[in-house]
Amino acid sequence: DSGVTQTPKHLITATGQRVTLRCSPRSGDLSVYWYQQSLDQGLQFLIQYYNGEERAKGNILERFSAQQFPDLHSELNLSSLELGDSALYFCASSPRGGGGPKETQYFGPGTRLLVL
Amino acid sequence: AQTVTQSQPEMSVQEAETVTLSCTYDTSESDYYLFWYKQPPSRQMILVIRQEAYKQQNATENRFSVNFQKAAKSFSLKISDSQLGDAAMYFCAHSGNTPLVFGKGTRLSVIA
């Protein structure tokens, strides 16, 4: 158990809908990262937040957005869902202040999203 | 941009034997970390081992060790005394000034 929690574990929804994935980092970790794992694209970095502020952005679609709250949990919002958004979405957290990407990242169990 | 290449989509090993998974990377940074993550059928991403680029000594964690060749940009993972529980996807990853960049993974099967 990495100490990172993600809810829900599974999500089934229809095209065009909007969903919210939630992540709680390890106690004391200030940085949260979101990744997408799909069969065709592999594991891709989406976005990083550090202490409430966006720190780095990867291959995140405009239909997707995220935020980190004062209690440091994070939410990833996916809207206007398409079939191709079906994937495993991971949250990871890292410990130190500064949110440096060279820190070790600890992964949550993931949320499996299926868009029908 | 950083890239990570794992040239072996699949590998197999006999139980109790040793196997080496290959990884090469490309980066323009001088300060970076390299990781191996394991993803068993549960799909959880589990950190196996970490190597800081500034350290010449190869990292070791119990039965897992790496061969880090900085000049060659090579970072292989050796698993000794393989166990059935080692069967999983293994991902090599680079982290520098950008968050983790992953290779496409190597699926390891362990034969009893």
Side-chain angles (χ1 to χ4, degrees):
Chain A
D1 184 357
S2 67
V4 179
T5 60
Q6 288 187 249
T7 56
K9 288 185 179 177
H10 303 277
L11 201 48
I12 301 175
T13 188
T15 55
Q17 295 299 304
R18 172 188 168 95
V19 298
T20 298
L21 312 183
R22 181 188 170 102
C23 167
S24 292
R26 298 186 324 157
S27 177
D29 284 2
L30 297 178
S31 272
V32 169
Y33 309 79
W34 287 96
Y35 292 87
Q36 179 194 60
Q37 185 178 30
S38 61
L39 283 175
D40 53 344
Q41 297 292 329
L43 267 159
Q44 288 199 103
F45 166 69
L46 296 178
I47 197 164
Q48 177 200 355
Y49 277 81
Y50 165 63
N51 204 20
E53 299 288 329
E54 182 183 305
R55 177 57 65 96
K57 217 167 188 177
N59 298 320
I60 188 166
L61 299 172
E62 285 192 10
R63 301 183 285 108
F64 295 2
S65 65
Q67 55 184 325
Q68 186 179 27
F69 295 86
D71 67 352
L72 300 177
H73 90 273
S74 177
E75 292 180 356
L76 179 68
N77 300 297
L78 315 176
S79 62
S80 303
L81 284 167
E82 301 175 0
L83 296 178
D85 297 327
S86 296
L88 186 55
Y89 291 85
F90 284 108
C91 167
S93 72
S94 68
R96 291 195 307 269
K102 292 188 287 290
E103 297 174 343
T104 298
Q105 294 178 29
Y106 297 90
F107 281 74
T111 292
R112 191 184 297 268
L113 174 65
L114 180 59
V115 182
L116 300 175
Chain B
Q2 290 81 13
T3 60
V4 176
T5 302
Q6 294 179 248
S7 59
Q8 307 151 315
E10 295 184 356
M11 294 278 287
S12 62
V13 62
Q14 291 283 140
E15 200 175 1
E17 295 297 310
T18 296
V19 64
T20 298
L21 309 184
S22 300
C23 172
T24 58
Y25 61 95
D26 190 18
T27 182
S28 57
E29 299 172 357
S30 58
D31 185 17
Y32 55 89
Y33 285 9
L34 296 165
F35 303 87
W36 280 96
Y37 282 90
K38 169 185 176 182
Q39 189 176 41
S42 67
R43 309 302 298 274
Q44 173 79 48
M45 293 290 288
I46 302 166
L47 176 68
V48 175
I49 199 164
R50 180 184 87 170
Q51 175 79 45
E52 294 90 335
Y54 64 87
K55 289 187 177 179
Q56 292 187 339
Q57 186 172 6
N58 289 324
T60 299
E61 287 288 339
N62 300 314
R63 299 183 293 107
F64 299 88
S65 61
V66 299
N67 183 4
F68 175 46
Q69 302 289 328
K70 190 172 183 178
K73 295 182 179 176
S74 169
F75 182 61
S76 61
L77 174 70
K78 185 171 83 170
I79 306 173
S80 304
D81 185 25
S82 296
Q83 300 174 0
L84 295 177
D86 295 333
M89 281 289 288
Y90 286 82
F91 292 94
C92 177
H94 169 283
S95 176
N97 290 322
T98 56
L100 288 169
V101 174
F102 288 90
K104 293 197 177 298
T106 296
R107 182 175 302 279
L108 178 67
S109 301
V110 181
I111 303 164

